[in-house]
Amino acid sequence: MIKLTGITKSFGKQQVLQGIDLKVEKGEVVVILGPSGSGKTTLLRCINYLERPGDGRIAIGDFEVDCARAGKKDIHALRGRTAMVFQHYNLFRHKTVLENVMEGLVVVQRMPKETARRRSVEVLEKVGLGEKLDAYPSQLSGGQQQRVGIARALALNPEVILFDEPTSALDPELVGEVLAVIRRIAKEGITMIVVTHEMGFARDVANHVVFMDGGVIVEEGSPKEMFNHPREERTKQFLKRIM
Ligand code: ADP
């Protein structure tokens, strides 16, 4: 379903992704763990070309690009198959909740406005914000704002949703409601790649856990294998610190 092969990325002289290979099956939830600076966010951003990878191949469904050669059309096609949920929500401040969700459907997908509105209301109800359609982001809690971010991604009907530390900017008491929404949509079989430090979530919801350090995948496996029987010393040390 999603296959990354040999993805590299450098910022100046610093190579932050050293050749990442990763396979994600349809409907799977993959959680990426790792210390700060290990390249997790950069990897997510490379998958939908918010960062341009150096080398490697990205395949999503029946579409594949060779990163070294990707042109505008390839990038557009890749972006159309993915959606991102950001740590800091990245909502339009001057647009309402409903307008935030409709924006991508109308502007990028060129969906007729009425269809886009119906679709947006449907996903906003799904994340528990059916009553907040006309509110502005500043009138919402962080948890509600992030649920708008999730609705916006869902509305696009992507083949995969990429979550970049979706709860790390939230006050602790708001983390639960956002994780509950992610859990619920995971159950619907939407393919997800989630960068998070929420170990409880990783244990319960992930089908597959990947541990990154220094721009490489050090170890990967089922949550059970990774949390109960990590093989690599670096994984053991990381888990000891975080759990
Ligand atoms: P993680 O998500 O695991 O914390 P990141 O992918 O954010 O790691 O960062 C990996 C490394 O790449 C870090 O050393 C970071 O400073 C560097 N980096 C990330 N984005 C940029 C950028 N836009 N310009 C320069 N360096 C960057």
Side-chain angles (χ1 to χ4, degrees):
M1 155 76 195
I2 296 175
K3 192 171 168 205
L4 309 180
T5 316
I7 301 294
T8 63
K9 174 70 187 173
S10 298
F11 293 110
K13 284 194 182 128
Q14 187 193 10
Q15 191 175 3
V16 300
L17 297 177
Q18 315 253 5
I20 300 285
D21 297 331
L22 182 65
K23 262 193 200 163
V24 183
E25 301 297 333
K26 197 173 167 62
E28 235 182 3
V29 178
V30 172
V31 166
I32 303 181
L33 306 176
S36 178
S38 55
K40 306 179 299 294
T41 293
T42 303
L43 179 61
L44 281 194
R45 292 172 63 84
C46 281
I47 297 174
N48 76 343
Y49 261 79
L50 286 175
E51 298 289 352
R52 195 187 171 97
D55 270 311
R57 305 182 76 82
I58 301 175
I60 301 183
D62 55 3
F63 181 78
E64 181 165 6
V65 323
D66 175 349
C67 299
R69 294 204 178 92
K72 261 195 179 155
K73 265 194 179 160
D74 299 310
I75 295 169
H76 189 73
L78 210 54
R79 292 212 178 120
R81 287 167 167 77
T82 58
M84 187 99 160
V85 174
F86 299 90
Q87 185 175 2
H88 297 287
Y89 335 126
N90 294 18
L91 303 179
F92 295 109
R93 315 301 305 172
H94 59 285
K95 288 186 191 291
T96 65
V97 165
L98 181 62
E99 288 165 351
N100 263 283
V101 178
M102 284 176 63
E103 179 80 6
L105 298 179
V106 174
V107 176
V108 183
Q109 295 193 350
R110 308 215 174 273
M111 197 181 267
K113 261 201 164 160
E114 209 27 62
T115 320
R117 176 185 299 272
R118 247 182 285 129
R119 170 86 184 136
S120 302
V121 171
E122 185 189 313
V123 291
L124 281 162
E125 283 173 350
K126 189 175 269 187
V127 302
L129 292 175
E131 310 286 304
K132 297 283 183 191
L133 303 180
D134 298 324
Y136 285 87
S138 60
Q139 300 170 310
L140 302 179
S141 72
Q144 289 171 328
Q145 291 186 55
Q146 189 55 298
R147 286 191 275 144
V148 177
I150 295 170
R152 180 178 54 185
L154 264 181
L156 297 169
N157 200 20
E159 297 200 32
V160 59
I161 302 184
L162 309 167
F163 291 85
D164 185 14
E165 301 198 26
T167 60
S168 61
L170 297 173
D171 290 333
E173 73 272 19
L174 302 177
V175 169
E177 69 184 54
V178 171
L179 291 181
V181 166
I182 301 176
R183 240 174 247 258
R184 202 176 330 130
I185 58 180
K187 280 203 185 119
E188 291 179 10
I190 295 169
T191 311
M192 298 180 178
I193 305 179
V194 187
V195 171
T196 184
H197 295 292
E198 293 292 335
M199 294 299 138
F201 175 85
R203 259 182 201 279
D204 297 350
V205 184
N207 307 101
H208 193 73
V209 176
V210 171
F211 175 67
M212 279 181 73
D213 195 10
V216 299
I217 292 179
V218 173
E219 182 169 0
E220 56 185 304
S222 70
K224 232 183 184 169
E225 288 166 343
M226 293 292 284
F227 290 119
N228 300 350
H229 308 288
R231 295 182 305 270
E232 301 292 330
E233 198 49 41
R234 274 194 281 180
T235 320
K236 290 179 192 168
Q237 290 304 328
F238 173 77
L239 291 174
K240 211 189 270 174
R241 279 204 307 275
I242 203 160
M243 289 175 77

